[in-house]
Amino acid sequence: MTVTEPAPATPVPPLAARARSIGGSPVRDILAVTARPEVINFAGGLPAPELFDAEGIAAAYRAVLEEMPAQALQYSTTEGEPGLRAALAARTAARGLPTHPDDLLVTSGSQQALSLLTTALVEPGETVLVENPCYLAALQAFGFAGARVVAVPSDAHGIDPEALEELVVRERPKLLYTVPTFQNPTGRTLPADRRAAIASVAARHGLWIVEDDPYGELRFEGERVPWIASYEDARDRTALLGSFSKVMAPGLRLGWLRAPAGLRRACAVAKQAADLHTPTVNQLAAARYLADRDLDAHVARVAGAYRERRDAMLAGLADALPAGSRWNRPEGGMFLWARLPESYDTTALLPTVVRQDVAYVPGAPFYAGDPDRSTLRLCFVTQTPEEIGEGLRRLGEGLRA
C-alpha cells in the first residue's frame, strides 16, 4: 500500500501593509515590562486610582440598573444617549463654547474619536501636521490611515504659528492635530495669542483642526485658556475632543467629539462600522453621575492632589537628573518633560534605569521626524509624593550607573 504524503498547506494571505508597518505603543510595551509591584512607574499616563470616586460611580450604575434595566442593557443610538449629550453640551457651553446636544457624538474614549476623524478625513498619502513632539497614539492613528505625517516646529510654548503657515502653504495638509492644553507628552500649554493665530492660518488656507483636550480640566494654577474651537476663524473647521478618562475614570471608556455637521455625520457612519455605539449602561451611568454628583468639585480635589505630586517631582528633579538637564513646570495635567545633556540617550539608558525598579518613557517615540534622544516624559500623578521622592532617588542612581 502506498502512503501519499499530504500536500503542503498554502500559506494564508499576509496582513495588510498598514498592520505590518505600524508598531505597537512603546508606552504599553514599557508598562508590560514594568508591571512588577515594586517598580515605581513614571512611564504610564494613568490617573491615580485611589482618587476615583468609586462610590459615586457605583451608585450611578446601581441607580441606572435598578430604575431602567431594559434601556441600560439594550442597544442605543450611534450618536449617544440624549441625556448624556445634553449634559456634555451644557458643560461645554458653560466653558465658553455654545454647544447643542446634536453637535456631539459620544465615543468609546477620545481615542476612538481620533480614529473616527482620521477615517472620515484622511486618504492614504495625504499630509497631516502634528506637534513636535506629539501624542503617541495620534501618530499610530495617522500611520494606520497611511497619512504622511509632518511635524510643525514647536518650542516651550507649543506650535510656532509662523512655521505652521509656511508648512501649510508648502505641504497643503488635510489637518492639524494638537493637544494645546497640558500637552502629552510635554505638559506645555499653547498661549491664547498662538491659538488665535492658528485659527487664522486654518481659515486663510483651508485646514481642519483636530483639538484634543483630555487634560484641560486638571488645572493647578494660572488662568484657563479658551479652546481653539471657540475662535471665530476656527468654528467651522475644528473638531474638539473630550473625555471622562482623566476626570472620572478611564475604564468607563467615554469620550466625545464636537464637530461641524458634515464631519460629525461622517464620523457617526464610521462608528456604526466600528462598534455600533458606545455601551449604553456606561453612558446612562455617566449621565446619572453628572445629575447626582458634583463632578467639578471632584475634579478640584483631584487637581489639588496632582498639584502636590507635581511639586514633589519638581522638588526632586535637580538631584535626580544629570547636571545640565532642563525641565518644564506644567500648570496642570499629568506630565513633565525633561531634556538631559546631549550625550544621554534615554532609550538606551532605560534598561539600566529599570533595574533600579523605576521607569520613564523615552522621548524619541513621540517625534514624527528626527527625535531628540536626550528627552524623556515623566508622569507625576500615579504615585504619592513619598513614592515620587523614592522614585527620583532610584532614577538618579540608574542614570549615574
Side-chain angles (χ1 to χ4, degrees), residues 10 45 50 79 90 95 150 164 184 196 201-202 217 235 240 267 270-271 316 330 386 395:
T10 302
E50 71 276 12
E79 290 76 10
R95 285 157 176 76
V150 177
L164 170 66
N184 182 357
V201 169
E217 293 190 59
R235 289 189 178 182
L240 175 65
C267 289
K271 182 171 172 62
E386 293 74 24
L395 176 60

Side-chain angles (χ1 to χ4, degrees), residues 229-243:
S230 67
Y231 290 88
E232 188 63 35
D233 283 340
R235 289 189 178 182
D236 66 342
R237 63 192 63 242
T238 302
L240 175 65
L241 279 56
S243 174

Side-chain angles (χ1 to χ4, degrees), residues 275-338:
D275 66 355
L276 299 182
H277 65 86
T278 296
T280 312
V281 65
N282 293 2
Q283 294 188 62
L284 291 174
R288 184 61 176 257
Y289 185 95
L290 292 173
D292 292 352
R293 304 274 171 155
D294 188 342
L295 178 60
D296 292 331
H298 170 69
V299 171
R301 288 190 293 272
V302 171
Y306 286 0
R307 177 175 183 159
E308 291 180 0
R309 298 176 187 200
R310 179 209 59 180
D311 292 346
M313 182 163 281
L314 289 172
L317 279 175
D319 292 333
L321 301 185
S325 298
R326 292 173 291 158
W327 53 89
N328 62 341
R329 178 191 173 88
E331 294 183 334
M334 299 172 60
F335 304 111
L336 182 148
W337 188 247

Side-chain angles (χ1 to χ4, degrees), residues 9 11 19 47 108 110 112-113 117-118 163 166 209 221 246 248 256 270 290 375:
S108 298
S110 62
Q112 186 189 47
L117 286 164
T118 304
E166 292 176 7
I209 300 171
E221 58 192 44
K246 307 304 187 294
M248 195 178 289
W256 55 91
L290 292 173
T375 55

Side-chain angles (χ1 to χ4, degrees), residues 20-330:
R20 299 195 303 269
S21 62
I22 305 301
S25 166
V27 176
R28 294 285 166 180
D29 295 341
I30 292 168
L31 290 177
V33 171
T34 60
R36 293 176 286 117
E38 65 270 22
V39 174
I40 295 177
N41 201 335
F42 298 140
L46 305 179
E50 71 276 12
L51 299 178
F52 296 156
D53 183 8
E55 178 185 347
I57 293 172
Y61 272 95
R62 284 195 299 270
V64 164
L65 289 170
E66 289 173 1
E67 297 171 16
M68 53 183 78
Q71 181 183 353
L73 301 176
Q74 185 58 277
Y75 286 115
S76 184
T77 61
T78 298
E79 290 76 10
E81 281 295 320
L84 178 58
R85 284 191 289 148
L88 292 172
R91 289 180 63 82
T92 305
R95 285 157 176 76
L97 183 57
T99 301
H100 188 274
D102 289 342
D103 295 333
L104 301 172
L105 171 67
V106 177
T107 58
S108 298
S110 62
Q111 183 63 39
Q112 186 189 47
L114 177 58
S115 178
L116 297 176
L117 286 164
T118 304
T119 299
L121 287 174
V122 182
E123 301 282 3
E126 289 187 320
T127 299
V128 168
L129 299 183
V130 300
E131 298 165 307
N132 196 36
C134 178
Y135 172 49
L136 268 174
L139 295 178
Q140 282 185 301
F142 299 139
F144 267 113
R148 176 173 172 265
V149 183
V150 177
V152 182
S154 307
D155 58 21
H157 300 291
I159 289 172
D160 178 343
E162 292 183 4
L164 170 66
E165 185 155 27
E166 292 176 7
L167 275 177
V168 170
V169 171
R170 184 173 75 242
E171 303 290 345
R172 308 309 304 171
K174 196 68 167 286
L175 65 85
L176 166 69
Y177 172 78
T178 176
V179 183
T181 305
F182 313 139
Q183 193 237 15
N184 182 357
T186 64
R188 67 195 179 198
T189 294
L190 191 68
D193 60 340
R194 293 199 188 189
R195 297 182 188 218
I198 287 170
S200 179
V201 169
R204 287 198 306 273
H205 297 288
L207 180 71
W208 284 104
I209 300 171
V210 177
E211 181 179 12
D212 200 352
D213 187 35
Y215 312 104
E217 293 190 59
L218 296 173
R219 177 170 286 280
F220 317 149
E221 58 192 44
E223 296 297 321
R224 182 182 176 277
V225 187
W227 285 304
I228 297 173
S230 67
Y231 290 88
E232 188 63 35
D233 283 340
R235 289 189 178 182
D236 66 342
R237 63 192 63 242
T238 302
L240 175 65
L241 279 56
S243 174
F244 282 140
S245 290
K246 307 304 187 294
V247 298
M248 195 178 289
L252 299 176
R253 304 311 303 135
L254 282 174
W256 55 91
L257 67 85
R258 179 192 185 278
L263 178 55
R264 189 178 64 255
R265 284 194 295 270
C267 289
V269 173
K271 182 171 172 62
Q272 289 169 1
D275 66 355
L276 299 182
H277 65 86
T278 296
T280 312
V281 65
N282 293 2
Q283 294 188 62
L284 291 174
R288 184 61 176 257
Y289 185 95
L290 292 173
D292 292 352
R293 304 274 171 155
D294 188 342
L295 178 60
D296 292 331
H298 170 69
V299 171
R301 288 190 293 272
V302 171
Y306 286 0
R307 177 175 183 159
E308 291 180 0
R309 298 176 187 200
R310 179 209 59 180
D311 292 346
M313 182 163 281
L314 289 172
L317 279 175
D319 292 333
L321 301 185
S325 298
R326 292 173 291 158
W327 53 89
N328 62 341
R329 178 191 173 88

